[in-house]
Amino acid sequence: MPLETEEILQEDNKRRESLSQAEDLALKSAATYFGDEMVRWLGIHEKVLRAVPTELVELEARHMYEDFLYEKENGVYYHFEFESDSISESDLRRFREYEASTVRIYGAPVVTFVICSSKVKILRDRITDGINTYRVRLIRLKDEDADRVLEQIQKKGVGSLTRDDIIPLLLSPLMGGKGEQKERILKGIRLLKMGEDIFTKEDVRKMEAILYTFAVKFLDKQELGLIKEEMAMTILGQMIWDDAMEKGMEKGMEKGIEKGRKEESERYSRLILKLTEENKTDLLIKTASDPEYRETLYKEYGI
């Protein structure tokens, strides 16, 4: 294989791994902001008491990071893992290790749920080692019809969105259905605009940032351009506009404001892509919701 081809394939693999982490980040963010609503939508009806720390430190000083952990009112700890690929034996052994450590630390029973967005139809949910069989509760997002989900939310009408509607809306890009990813994300952005008077600006901005993260992962450059145009009319877009207004005012002319708006939009996009390329997808949502932190990153990357 020519060296150039090998280098291209290596870069492509790095990008796919980074975008896979972006999906995990978006799901973790949804779990962070809408924990009760997410587990209820997944068909788990026990009330969440609290989100539990997921960094488990063992005596050998080895860190294990679970994706999410909830203490439920029935005394059971519900452990969630997000997977975008098929589930391997290695994955199941890792989940079992997380679960065993959680049981030992908190002294309570643990159930592991694996939320999987892979297109693989038959997924592994158990593994047998010796006389012991370990199993997880599998939730396959491709079994949900995104077109039907978004249509039902749309039928509720302007201003009637609830927090329970948000989880399926945010997860729609990972579901099954005939609609294109671009259309799902566009519909999601437009539906979120219906909730701008219901939710706080900060929450809406975070929701929009989750959808934007999926857009960066799934869409090509041309499609992403359409998402940017739609984003210009959102709270997240207004944030970018406000930054541009400030820079345009510094230039002291209307033409400068318009130029500043375009430059700021491109600046934000370059930062998102830079963080994705460097596998720093855990910073994407914070970047969208924290203007001061975003400005710090601009300076750090010289953008």
Side-chain angles (χ1 to χ4, degrees), residues 244-291:
M245 281 286 288
E246 182 178 345
K247 289 172 177 57
M249 290 291 287
E250 291 173 2
K251 295 179 180 179
M253 53 184 178
E254 190 67 26
K255 185 178 179 181
I257 294 175
E258 282 300 321
K259 185 178 180 181
R261 179 184 185 183
K262 182 178 180 181
E263 289 177 351
E264 194 64 22
S265 177
E266 290 301 320
R267 191 184 185 206
Y268 179 74
S269 297
R270 288 202 304 273
L271 178 59
I272 294 298
L273 291 174
K274 191 72 175 176
L275 292 174
T276 303
E277 288 170 1
E278 295 189 0
N279 294 329
K280 294 180 179 178
T281 50
D282 56 317
L283 303 180
L284 291 177
I285 306 301
K286 183 175 175 60
T287 299
S289 58
D290 189 335

Side-chain angles (χ1 to χ4, degrees), residues 125-142:
D125 71 343
R126 67 192 67 192
I127 186 172
T128 298
D129 286 320
I131 64 172
N132 299 310
T133 296
Y134 170 74
R135 62 177 298 184
V136 298
R137 289 185 61 178
L138 191 61
I139 298 170
R140 184 175 181 271
L141 290 177
K142 287 293 186 288

Side-chain angles (χ1 to χ4, degrees), residues 195-296:
E196 288 183 357
D197 295 329
I198 301 173
F199 307 111
T200 67
K201 284 188 175 182
E202 183 179 357
D203 278 347
V204 174
R205 192 166 61 223
K206 289 173 180 176
M207 298 174 205
E208 291 166 349
I210 290 171
L211 287 178
Y212 189 82
T213 301
F214 285 138
V216 170
K217 173 176 181 177
F218 292 120
L219 305 184
D220 60 32
K221 187 175 181 180
Q222 184 177 0
E223 291 173 325
L224 191 57
L226 295 175
I227 299 299
K228 289 180 184 177
E229 290 179 11
E230 193 70 31
M231 278 288 184
M233 297 178 286
T234 66
I235 289 178
L236 182 61
Q238 186 63 44
M239 170 202 75
I240 299 172
W241 167 251
D242 289 343
D243 287 346
M245 281 286 288
E246 182 178 345
K247 289 172 177 57
M249 290 291 287
E250 291 173 2
K251 295 179 180 179
M253 53 184 178
E254 190 67 26
K255 185 178 179 181
I257 294 175
E258 282 300 321
K259 185 178 180 181
R261 179 184 185 183
K262 182 178 180 181
E263 289 177 351
E264 194 64 22
S265 177
E266 290 301 320
R267 191 184 185 206
Y268 179 74
S269 297
R270 288 202 304 273
L271 178 59
I272 294 298
L273 291 174
K274 191 72 175 176
L275 292 174
T276 303
E277 288 170 1
E278 295 189 0
N279 294 329
K280 294 180 179 178
T281 50
D282 56 317
L283 303 180
L284 291 177
I285 306 301
K286 183 175 175 60
T287 299
S289 58
D290 189 335
E292 292 184 3
Y293 182 70
R294 184 172 62 255
E295 198 61 39
T296 299

